[in-house]
Amino acid sequence: MSKPLIKEYSSPGRKGYSLPTLDVPDINLEEELNPKFIRQQLDLPELSEVDVARHFTSLSQKNYGVDSGIYPLGSCTMKYNPKINEDIARIEGLSNLHPYQEDKDLQGSLKILYELKNNLAEISGMDEVTLQPASGAHGELTALMIIKQYFKDKGEERKKIVVPDSAHGTNPASAAMAGFEVVELKSNERGMIDLDKLRGLVDEDTAALMLTNPNTLGIFEREILEVAEIVHGVGGLLYYDGANMNAIMGYVRPGDMDFDLMHFNLHKTFSTPHGGGGPGSGPVGVKKFLTSYLPKPVLIKEGNFFKWEYHRPHSIGRVHSFYGNYSVILRAYAYIKALGADGLRKVTENAVLNANYMKAKLKDVYYLPYEEDSLHEFVLSASKQKEKGATTLNIAKRLLDYGQYAPTIYFPLVVKEALMIEPTETENITTLNKFIATMINISREIENNIEIVKNAPHNTTIKKLDEVKAARKPDLRW
Ligand SMILES: Cc1ncc(COP(=O)(O)O)c(C=O)c1O
């Protein structure tokens, strides 16, 4: 049902406030001020407080988020985040700081940054971490700039970055943006790196291989040490896309897998609701031999004093104004401190358990293209349902009718009619069962009453869109 705009509720003279009687002499603004400084009457809606509260509450109910229900977006990890971390990010003494304050006045906050970067180094097996980059993709770009500078210092101008075809789209984009040539590596039939193909692809012109482990199919690359040997064998670097850290924390560390550098997605793994482009934080971790290239300034500790060090002659320079997205960093810090090492390990266990439970329940109804064990996410295909006439998109839209969010669809590109599902560690078995039952029910509907699926959604504010018109002539105003 379409809802009136807030202006349409307006009634002249209706107010949402009451002010005490004026206890100072009233003045006439037109006499006191130059008329050019006096605003014309604004056409604002006139409403009572309850009108406003109901209007915005009703708008908020039209939205769907992790606080409304499961949000099983594979690769994008939309999990519920503890609300206490929101409170911590808003503590006045932290949120009202100014980055131009002197180091001596910021010791508490610098300590937080220092501890967080050390915690991330420990979790990942890297030696040093910068908190500057503002997103995963920004972390990738930062790391690629480090890779470039490293080879430049060695007097080499390596041009190629190898990226598997199952990689997140930001990987090839970042490599191209950093001025490299992207070489695609086709996955094998198990959805993993094909060692022979990799050997055939890399050479003295290869700067790095960008890899996610588990990869974007949710599959752990078991031959990772051989992969590292092949890449290092030609003098290249191994880069870890750490956006999927909730699949491995406490069990394995990228540093121990022989990765040379990596980025984290704090906003995915360690709290902070995100989506729609932000806010994010993509710290970059490096092994010792790359520390001098990190963005400056670098946070150091001299005795008990924390300070920014600017004299870094080999640094790639700044990648962000000031020191990073502080409020996201605070949430990550609170999350890590609250959970501790055991808690983070439990996060991984629950993420992996939930994904495997759901996969086991759905794999006979939807087609499972890769049978390899998966970790925190898995990819199904709706190809069987497509043969009956309903597409992955139809299924995704029908899920909305049942009050549940859809998984990532049509990604990764290596799977036709892909449904990429990441239930995350925060969902309990009741929620998982509800989602599973809905998916099975939709598949049954496709056999018995396909039109209801093909024309979905029926219960949302905006019904089924004409996809072509929506793409070609988007109506973004209302
Ligand atoms: C595997 C992987 N790499 C990189 C990124 C990019 O991160 P961001 O969206 O913060 O730029 C994502 C995003 O979800 C991801 O899933």
Side-chain angles (χ1 to χ4, degrees):
M1 197 172 71
S2 92
K3 192 159 167 50
L5 301 179
I6 193 155
K7 276 190 169 179
E8 290 164 327
Y9 286 114
S10 180
S11 172
R14 194 174 287 168
K15 284 194 184 118
Y17 62 88
S18 60
L19 296 177
T21 328
L22 199 61
D23 60 358
V24 291
D26 203 359
I27 56 162
N28 184 343
L29 281 184
E30 262 125 56
E31 282 169 16
E32 301 292 328
L33 290 177
N34 181 331
K36 76 174 183 197
F37 295 127
I38 298 181
R39 269 198 306 208
Q40 297 309 305
Q41 195 64 31
L42 290 177
D43 183 22
L44 294 175
E46 296 181 69
L47 301 156
S48 66
E49 180 178 325
V50 68
D51 290 337
V52 175
R54 284 184 187 152
H55 178 71
F56 286 107
T57 302
S58 135
L59 283 186
S60 76
Q61 285 165 346
K62 288 196 182 346
N63 209 350
Y64 191 96
V66 275
D67 292 348
S68 324
I70 189 170
Y71 212 117
L73 285 186
S75 183
C76 293
T77 315
M78 293 295 273
K79 67 182 179 190
Y80 176 81
N81 293 295
K83 294 290 173 261
I84 182 84
N85 299 340
E86 295 303 309
D87 287 350
I88 287 166
R90 288 170 178 78
I91 291 174
E92 212 180 319
L94 297 171
S95 59
N96 282 351
L97 295 175
H98 195 284
Y100 276 139
Q101 280 175 257
E102 288 184 35
D103 289 352
K104 71 176 173 48
D105 298 331
L106 294 171
Q107 286 298 295
S109 107
L110 296 185
K111 185 170 178 209
I112 289 175
L113 300 180
Y114 192 80
E115 278 188 25
L116 179 65
K117 80 182 172 82
N118 288 349
N119 289 161
L120 293 176
E122 192 179 333
I123 292 166
S124 63
M126 293 285 146
D127 293 312
E128 186 57 273
V129 171
T130 172
L131 301 173
Q132 259 188 48
S135 71
H138 194 199
E140 290 167 24
L141 182 67
T142 304
L144 286 154
M145 286 159 70
I146 291 173
I147 293 171
K148 206 166 201 182
Q149 193 63 30
Y150 164 76
F151 284 114
K152 200 168 164 205
D153 274 10
K154 284 175 64 146
E156 296 180 39
E157 209 193 308
R158 296 188 175 221
K159 289 192 209 70
K160 292 194 224 158
I161 298 285
V162 179
V163 185
D165 59 359
S166 65
H168 193 263
T170 48
N171 288 192
S174 303
M177 215 168 158
F180 287 103
E181 183 190 316
V182 180
V183 180
E184 189 182 78
L185 175 63
K186 288 237 170 304
S187 311
N188 63 20
E189 65 292 342
R190 290 152 66 212
M192 295 159 82
I193 292 234
D194 186 322
L195 292 183
D196 286 336
K197 277 204 191 110
L198 178 64
R199 275 191 204 96
L201 267 188
V202 296
D203 55 25
E204 274 64 39
D205 204 15
T206 304
L209 166 68
M210 296 179 87
L211 191 63
T212 318
N213 200 14
N215 63 27
T216 34
L217 291 163
I219 300 172
F220 190 78
E221 301 277 358
R222 272 178 265 149
E223 293 166 322
I224 185 62
L225 294 180
E226 284 89 334
V227 170
E229 211 175 295
I230 294 169
V231 176
H232 289 151
V234 295
L237 299 181
L238 196 56
Y239 173 76
Y240 183 70
D241 176 334
N244 293 344
M245 283 294 283
N246 67 336
I248 61 165
M249 283 184 305
Y251 278 88
V252 63
R253 308 190 306 167
D256 301 337
M257 288 189 253
D258 257 0
F259 282 94
D260 301 297
L261 71 171
M262 64 171 291
H263 82 265
F264 303 79
N265 275 31
L266 294 191
H267 47 295
K268 285 176 58 177
T269 314
F270 305 105
S271 215
T272 296
H274 61 286
S281 173
V284 168
V286 296
K287 288 275 181 69
K288 208 165 247 128
F289 71 101
L290 294 171
T291 49
S292 58
Y293 302 106
L294 284 171
K296 61 184 179 183
V298 171
L299 186 57
I300 57 165
K301 190 176 174 194
E302 272 179 4
N304 277 334
F305 191 77
F306 300 95
K307 62 181 248 195
W308 294 109
E309 189 182 74
Y310 289 85
H311 183 65
R312 311 282 295 189
H314 297 281
S315 164
I316 57 163
R318 272 186 186 277
V319 295
H320 190 276
S321 56
F322 303 116
Y323 318 113
N325 273 351
Y326 188 52
S327 81
V328 182
I329 287 169
L330 284 176
R331 290 176 177 97
Y333 179 81
Y335 183 83
I336 290 172
K337 293 292 173 196
L339 288 176
D342 289 345
L344 293 179
R345 196 178 158 91
K346 203 96 205 128
V347 163
T348 296
E349 285 167 8
N350 287 344
V352 173
L353 178 65
N354 282 359
N356 279 283
Y357 175 75
M358 211 180 240
K359 182 171 98 171
K361 295 281 183 186
L362 288 175
K363 73 180 174 42
D364 295 331
V365 181
Y366 292 85
Y367 171 62
L368 177 69
Y370 295 102
E371 300 248 349
E372 286 298 316
D373 288 342
S374 39
L375 296 193
H376 66 308
E377 62 192 2
F378 61 100
V379 182
L380 296 171
S381 162
S383 51
K384 287 196 259 181
Q385 287 72 14
K386 175 93 187 280
E387 276 167 25
K388 299 199 169 101
T391 63
T392 298
L393 182 68
N394 298 148
I395 295 165
K397 298 286 185 198
R398 183 67 178 142
L399 267 165
L400 307 183
D401 279 341
Y402 288 98
Q404 305 196 55
Y405 205 76
T408 295
I409 56 171
Y410 299 110
F411 179 79
L413 303 177
V414 285
V415 175
K416 289 203 168 62
E417 297 296 316
L419 287 153
M420 187 185 197
I421 304 176
E422 180 176 8
T424 81
E425 62 275 11
T426 49
E427 299 305 334
N428 61 33
I429 193 158
T430 315
T431 313
L432 299 185
N433 282 341
K434 191 172 155 212
F435 185 81
I436 292 162
T438 310
M439 288 292 285
I440 294 173
N441 194 32
I442 293 174
S443 185
R444 262 191 226 121
E445 284 178 338
I446 292 171
E447 291 183 19
N448 304 328
N449 184 10
I450 194 165
E451 289 310 312
I452 200 162
V453 179
K454 284 175 73 174
N455 296 321
H458 306 274
N459 303 336
T460 49
T461 312
I462 306 284
K463 304 284 175 290
K464 186 177 165 64
L465 289 178
D466 175 339
E467 297 290 331
V468 178
K469 200 167 159 210
R472 301 240 165 100
K473 290 188 181 164
D475 178 6
L476 305 174
R477 282 157 35 110
W478 53 283

